[in-house]
Amino acid sequence: MTKNNSRNRLKSKYKSAIVFPSIIAIISIGIIAFPMLPEQVKALSGQTSSFDNSDLSQTSLAAAQGALNSSGNNSGGTQNEIVNKRSVNATFPLDTPSYLMINTTTGEKLLSSEENVLRPQASTLKLLTGLVVIEKLHEEDLVRVGDEALNIEGSQLGLLPGDQILVKDLLTALYVESANDAANVLAVAAFGSMDEFIKAMNDRAAKMGLTNSQFKTANGLPASEQYTTASELAQIAIAFIDNDSLMKYVSMPGATIEWTRANGIKLKKTIVNTNQLLNKYPGDIGLKTGTTTEAGQCLATYITRPDGNILLILLGSDQRYQDSIELLDKGIAQLRTRSALKSLINQPDSLMNSPGFFAP
């Protein structure tokens, strides 16, 4: 018995000698790698959440919105001051992309750069288009196309005045193929005219507190004094993610659209999602692409993970998929490190349970 007690005391001392220096070393590495980690871990330690791989809860939505509001307020000036520092007609630099990545489950800001700089947003604006029109239209509504479908550049379904098409097919074309004519048709069908839709879209943005955004089109094609920021586009994306009826469209890898010409001829068109990361990058369930000469390559990406869901907004890139993959890899590495450190702080003995760490 004496020998066993002595062995146990020796083992306990040995474990203590190993555990606590190791904990200090790991925490030190985490602090060096992530300077803001102590505050974030402290904040996280008081939270309890069940990680949901599907939709955001209202609590998570509020947390993410709070993080974005904080991001705007800590940018070195008020939102209005940021707008006043730069003419909305200025040439937007494409050599310095803007991006913002947040953990929408906890509200943590993981990575960011120039997230409050005014930029054109190309077709990522269609996230807001859907949020506005879905309040007025039902998916099974049959819409008659007017002149709003004419003289449109870029991606389009090929609609003509007099065509008839269901709202659900317009939404599919809007988010899978990024059809600019579908955006216009939805806008006019919902509000009677493009002017009324633009007013409603900016009213919705104002209600969301987006003081650094102004919209002039339903489809995101270039327009004078049309702009947003990565931070404010993220707020739009969060509202979109919380809308189940819209999220199903951006998650479609492809679809077949049907509509009827004015002369009664029925047409079909098979389309493929413009988002090349969808279902290819682990956990990617889509959001929205956008590309114009003025805006560069833009991409809003939503990743679901057991340790936290990630939203990435990237504007003004010249290689959006490569940039997004690199940023997502970095963000996920931070999530893993923070989760490990949080677990270690809450349960120091868990380090001894790591396979191969301690062999008596």
Side-chain angles (χ1 to χ4, degrees), residues 234-246:
Q235 294 186 57
I236 294 171
I238 288 172
F240 190 96
I241 290 166
D242 200 46
N243 190 306
D244 294 340
S245 61
L246 291 176

Side-chain angles (χ1 to χ4, degrees), residues 146-161:
D147 292 343
E148 68 277 1
L150 296 176
N151 303 318
I152 295 177
E153 298 178 354
S155 176
Q156 51 190 296
L157 190 57
L159 299 171
L160 295 174

